[in-house]
Amino acid sequence: MNFDFSEEQYLLRDQARKFLDDRSPPAAVRAVLEDEAIAYDQGLWRGMAELGWVGTTVPEEYGGAGLSGEDLCVIAEELGRTLAPTPFSSSVYLATEALLMAGSELQKQQYLPALAAGERIGCMAVSEGVGVANAASMQTLAIDGVIEGTKVPVADGDVADFAVVLAGPGGGGDPSLFLVDLDDHSVSRKPVEMIDPTRSHVEITFDKAGAEPLGEAGQGWTITRAVFDRAAILMAFEQVGGAQACLDMATEYARNRFAFGRAIGSFQAIKHKLADIYIATELARANAYYGAWALATDAPDLPTAAAAARVAASEAYNLAARENIQTHGGMGFTWEFDCHLYYRRAKLLSLALGGERLWKDRLVSHLEARNSGGEV
Amino acid sequence: MDFNDTPDEAEFRAEARAWLERNAEPKTPGAVYKYKRGEPELIPAARAWEAKKFEGGFAGIALPKEYGGRGETRLQQIIFAEEEADFLIPPPIFSISHGMAVPTMLTYATEEQKQRYVPATLRGDEIWCQLFSEPAGGSDLAGLRTRAVRDGDDWVINGQKIWTSGAHYADMAIMVTRSDPEAPKHKGLTYFFFDMKSPGIDIRPIRQISGYANFNEVFMTDLRIPDSQRLGDVGQGWQVAITTLMNERVSSGIRPAPDFEDIFALARTTELENGPAIADAAVREKLADWYIKAQGVKLIRARLMTALSRGERPGPENSVSKLVSSFRRQEIAHFGMDLLDMGGGIMDPEMAPMRAMYQQALLDAPGGRIAAGSDEILRNIISERVLGLPPDIRVDKELPFDQLPSGS
């Protein structure tokens, strides 16, 4: 039994923490929040690429570091802790993973080296507006090698060079995935105002855009779900990092803020609130660690582990972000204090791959299938 | 990360498993042991099970061989508890004896006393109870008032204890008393062990809402204890009591029933108005929440095992598991009964699913949230010892005990 990260992984974490404390302080996050012209922190992105983080799990033959999913989890937790305003999740957890999972040898050679180096950015376009995305309701269609339709919101769609697009064949058939060059003249992109402006999102309209199939035809939804499962584990680490940051902030504030002649952290009303955040965060961390193990070993249990990590981490981060504001009292809901940066990010991340309700349902479906010895 | 046992651990686990398969009945979802707590048949059955483990070499797994133990580590002890939890075994009648009395005796008793009491306890011959809580000292243990007065080679004890699990069947007891009421509250305590058959002891069972009486009030009138049965120095009772409490089950393998597997099984087999309960969105949402908590607790235990295997001491972080598990049990009991609708209130084990597990748990769960650290005390422990928040302002630490306000 060794349910912990390795010594090397702790070194990686220390390196990541030091780098991000230095390069992704609240001021850097605020710069993206407050200036609409800044989509992401380019200096930070380049720095992460130089450290090799962007290509962590990309095999060495395609220019990556060839490390395991566990290593990427270690980095993800630190990104979440510092709210790093970069397209990391879109390009690394989604586009890169989709190519690794479904790309042809040629596609891998063509895309992965630039992705791993951070020279090109990818994103994934699934959602078509408010409401649950599912295979039957896809309005975006790919017919005769061109795509028509609108995807919104697409995280990092404004800065990405290409998108992995889920599109149906028309006539209610099963959708497939396609690679689309976003610089194509038939693609238009419009910024969308989001709950968390530190992460840019756009509406992308494809007007007969040229599309290259990714993976088998008709397997788009299956591949998307598999990519989302893996991304859910990585995002759970971002969420755990964010929840821990909120808990640290609230604890620090409760120790130093005095009212009624004593530190507010000596009142049980505050203590018990913070204990509850700690509990939720530890349960999420435990589930996320299990997910990391499933990711690194490609365990058959991965979809269950992913859903459990996703649900636990979404609940923990939303709780921590909400109660962090409450602990800060009046200052907590000011623009000036950083609490709202986490509050926004917590909600955004818990929606990014589908909401909590959806993932809870998926979790129970996986458990049912496991219990009857079948697959979902 | 690696969830597999090391070769040594795997060998021990296989040996434990094989032994359990030969000696106990495997547990299926919803199955319960034949005797409940409170049923008189349970005590001899629990003694017999301990004796069997002793003969099989699985008693006192982490205790030295010279006192009847197996001489392995805490990790092996947890592995055995994990395996044991897959079988129908008696409720943990011996947890106080093994988890609290024995470690305290091993730390503070004389060599002769250790030889006399520890093997007998591990063999199931002697059951211990713990006389700590009092009407004026529950969560605030150091508020206790039972007086110990020195008289020659003996101490004379007068006072009342409460919430004493198993006093009515215990053979031996450990107890904290107040030997100096003029000292500040934590400094005037002295610790003893004694025979529960001694004259001057009156035991009155407390009937709980479940109808059972696991706990007792214990009245002591001029009870005499020889000074040779004092553990630790006079006035050092608080330090000895801390030793006892630190050893409170780090993590027993007993899973609180009903847990996730039970409610999952019930949801799969219960029909609601629009089909099976498992297909109902509200049910699925609850199941998901309980799964991540059950799984989280299991994985936190895996982290504990990792720490133990590296020779680290488990910290207060493990308060999380007890807090989460006891509350979840109450929630699941409520929800399981609700699924059964108007019939949910039926307690007849012949009629209610899983032999009325949910109904029984509804009545047992409130005690689970109080015993061995109430929800509130555990949240204090987490916030003070893990998060480092300041302690509550105390008005009782420095004053002589007999000058403290008592509200009466």
Side-chain angles (χ1 to χ4, degrees), chain B residues 91-274:
Chain B
I93 296 296
F94 279 86
S95 58
I96 291 169
S97 310
H98 295 173
M100 303 176 91
V102 164
T104 309
M105 291 292 283
L106 286 176
T107 311
Y108 290 99
T110 65
E111 185 54 37
E112 197 186 331
Q113 287 167 339
K114 290 185 209 176
Q115 292 290 354
R116 157 66 188 83
Y117 292 101
V118 176
T121 303
L122 295 183
R123 208 162 41 228
D125 294 349
E126 283 172 351
I127 302 179
W128 292 66
C129 63
Q130 173 217 23
L131 293 162
F132 276 26
S133 294
E134 294 189 10
S139 290
D140 178 16
L141 173 62
L144 60 89
R145 290 159 184 271
T146 291
R147 282 284 280 129
V149 178
R150 185 73 189 247
D151 181 29
D153 284 342
D154 288 347
W155 290 79
V156 179
I157 313 293
N158 281 285
Q160 181 199 346
K161 295 285 178 179
I162 194 170
W163 308 124
T164 314
S165 309
H168 53 305
Y169 54 73
D171 306 289
M172 298 296 298
I174 44 178
M175 173 169 71
V176 207
T177 63
R178 184 160 305 280
S179 50
D180 182 1
E182 288 167 25
K185 73 193 268 191
H186 295 84
K187 293 180 178 150
L189 305 175
T190 300
Y191 196 116
F192 302 97
F193 74 91
F194 64 96
D195 188 330
M196 283 295 282
K197 306 290 178 304
S198 313
I201 300 174
D202 181 18
I203 299 164
R204 298 182 200 164
I206 300 170
R207 199 165 175 221
Q208 298 142 237
I209 56 180
S210 61
Y212 296 122
N214 306 326
F215 300 104
N216 302 273
E217 291 179 289
V218 179
F219 294 85
M220 286 156 293
T221 311
D222 295 334
L223 164 71
R224 295 191 81 87
I225 304 178
D227 187 54
S228 59
Q229 290 177 204
R230 172 167 48 78
L231 296 175
D233 292 338
V234 175
Q236 294 296 304
W238 181 250
Q239 284 71 16
V240 185
I242 292 295
T243 306
T244 307
L245 296 172
M246 291 274 283
N247 280 292
E248 206 162 6
R249 290 177 300 149
V250 167
S251 56
S252 133
I254 305 286
R255 298 182 201 122
D259 203 340
F260 175 78
E261 283 74 19
D262 303 299
I263 189 74
F264 189 61
L266 187 70
R268 286 164 76 92
T269 52
T270 302
E271 281 292 319
L272 301 183
E273 62 281 8
N274 293 322

Side-chain angles (χ1 to χ4, degrees), chain A residues 187-307:
Chain A
V187 174
S188 56
R189 304 186 250 185
K190 192 170 77 178
V192 178
E193 186 182 343
M194 294 290 287
I195 190 76
D196 179 7
T198 66
R199 297 283 293 105
S200 63
H201 288 66
V202 290
E203 178 181 284
I204 306 184
T205 303
F206 303 95
D207 181 16
K208 299 203 169 66
E212 176 185 344
L214 175 67
E216 262 181 69
Q219 290 296 303
W221 192 246
T222 308
I223 300 167
T224 299
R225 298 218 326 184
V227 170
F228 275 17
D229 278 345
R230 297 176 72 83
I233 294 166
L234 294 158
M235 210 166 263
F237 273 89
E238 284 200 14
Q239 293 170 302
V240 166
Q244 185 66 50
C246 291
L247 177 58
D248 292 346
M249 275 172 85
T251 304
E252 183 66 15
Y253 189 77
R255 267 200 294 251
N256 296 311
R257 167 77 183 171
F258 276 63
F260 306 103
R262 54 202 270 204
I264 63 166
S266 68
F267 291 109
Q268 290 190 339
I270 296 292
K271 280 178 154 166
H272 290 190
K273 181 195 294 298
L274 300 189
D276 285 340
I277 300 174
Y278 173 79
I279 291 165
T281 306
E282 285 307 294
L283 291 172
R285 191 189 306 280
N287 278 290
Y289 270 46
Y290 185 66
W293 170 81
L295 201 58
T297 57
D298 234 337
D301 207 19
L302 188 141
T304 314

Side-chain angles (χ1 to χ4, degrees), chain A residues 15-299:
Chain A
Q15 177 210 40
R17 186 164 291 188
K18 241 170 115 180
F19 174 79
L20 289 166
D21 278 344
D22 183 37
R23 302 285 290 276
S24 182
V29 183
R30 278 181 179 274
V32 177
L33 172 75
E34 288 169 2
D35 188 343
E36 274 182 31
I38 304 179
Y40 71 104
D41 189 325
Q42 294 193 30
L44 177 60
W45 176 252
R46 274 195 301 273
M48 297 196 302
E50 279 161 21
L51 289 169
W53 295 357
V54 179
T56 305
T57 57
V58 174
E60 286 169 86
E61 55 186 300
Y62 304 114
L67 296 173
S68 85
E70 274 180 23
D71 300 293
L72 194 51
C73 288
V74 169
I75 295 170
E77 184 174 348
E78 298 309 311
L79 294 174
R81 199 175 60 79
T82 51
L83 299 168
T86 68
F88 198 88
S89 54
S90 294
S91 200
V92 180
Y93 313 161
L94 296 174
T96 301
E97 286 288 336
L99 278 155
L100 283 170
M101 196 179 292
S104 66
E105 184 51 41
L106 191 65
Q107 284 168 335
K108 287 182 188 175
Q109 286 175 11
Q110 199 181 338
Y111 283 88
L112 289 175
L115 273 174
E119 288 157 7
R120 295 192 81 196
I121 293 172
C123 67
M124 196 156 175
V126 175
S127 174
E128 299 186 349
V130 291
V132 176
N134 62 53
S137 70
M138 283 292 129
Q139 301 287 316
T140 301
L141 301 179
I143 297 169
D144 297 335
V146 291
I147 290 193
E148 272 200 272
T150 300
K151 293 285 183 182
V152 60
V154 181
D156 306 301
D158 50 346
V159 299
D161 301 287
F162 71 96
V164 176
V165 183
L166 183 65
D174 291 327
S176 309
L177 285 178
F178 297 90
L179 292 162
V180 181
D181 181 354
L182 294 178
D183 291 327
D184 195 275
H185 62 90
S186 58
V187 174
S188 56
R189 304 186 250 185
K190 192 170 77 178
V192 178
E193 186 182 343
M194 294 290 287
I195 190 76
D196 179 7
T198 66
R199 297 283 293 105
S200 63
H201 288 66
V202 290
E203 178 181 284
I204 306 184
T205 303
F206 303 95
D207 181 16
K208 299 203 169 66
E212 176 185 344
L214 175 67
E216 262 181 69
Q219 290 296 303
W221 192 246
T222 308
I223 300 167
T224 299
R225 298 218 326 184
V227 170
F228 275 17
D229 278 345
R230 297 176 72 83
I233 294 166
L234 294 158
M235 210 166 263
F237 273 89
E238 284 200 14
Q239 293 170 302
V240 166
Q244 185 66 50
C246 291
L247 177 58
D248 292 346
M249 275 172 85
T251 304
E252 183 66 15
Y253 189 77
R255 267 200 294 251
N256 296 311
R257 167 77 183 171
F258 276 63
F260 306 103
R262 54 202 270 204
I264 63 166
S266 68
F267 291 109
Q268 290 190 339
I270 296 292
K271 280 178 154 166
H272 290 190
K273 181 195 294 298
L274 300 189
D276 285 340
I277 300 174
Y278 173 79
I279 291 165
T281 306
E282 285 307 294
L283 291 172
R285 191 189 306 280
N287 278 290
Y289 270 46
Y290 185 66
W293 170 81
L295 201 58
T297 57
D298 234 337

Side-chain angles (χ1 to χ4, degrees), chain A residues 1-6 9 70 237 247 251 254-255 261-263 265-268 270-272 274-276 278-279 282-283 285-287 289-290 292-293 297 301 304 307-309 311-312 315 357 360-365 367-372, chain B residues 1-6 9 13 75 82 260 264 268 278-279 281 283-289 291-293 295-297 299-300 302-303 305-306 309-310 316-317 320 323-324 375-380 382-384 386-393:
Chain A
M1 170 69 67
N2 181 16
F3 186 42
D4 200 355
F5 287 116
S6 68
Q9 286 163 339
E70 274 180 23
F237 273 89
L247 177 58
T251 304
R255 267 200 294 251
R262 54 202 270 204
S266 68
F267 291 109
Q268 290 190 339
I270 296 292
K271 280 178 154 166
H272 290 190
L274 300 189
D276 285 340
Y278 173 79
I279 291 165
E282 285 307 294
L283 291 172
R285 191 189 306 280
N287 278 290
Y289 270 46
Y290 185 66
W293 170 81
T297 57
D301 207 19
T304 314
V311 170
E315 287 186 348
R357 187 197 54 79
K360 285 181 179 177
D361 189 65
R362 288 185 68 176
L363 173 57
V364 177
S365 297
L367 292 169
E368 282 180 278
R370 182 164 79 177
N371 234 266
S372 17
Chain B
M1 290 184 201
D2 181 6
F3 279 94
N4 297 322
D5 290 326
T6 63
E9 290 159 12
R13 191 184 294 277
L75 191 62
E82 281 182 347
F260 175 78
F264 189 61
R268 286 164 76 92
I278 188 79
V283 173
R284 293 172 81 79
E285 172 139 13
K286 295 262 188 199
L287 288 174
D289 275 330
Y291 178 77
I292 61 161
K293 291 196 170 89
Q295 182 74 357
V297 166
L299 294 166
I300 286 172
R303 285 224 311 253
M305 289 179 68
T306 303
S309 71
R310 293 176 184 158
E317 293 83 357
V320 169
L323 189 52
V324 170
D375 289 6
E376 292 73 20
I377 289 291
L378 293 175
R379 285 193 172 89
N380 281 353
I382 291 169
S383 53
E384 291 175 18
V386 181
L387 301 179
L389 288 169
D392 218 339
I393 304 241

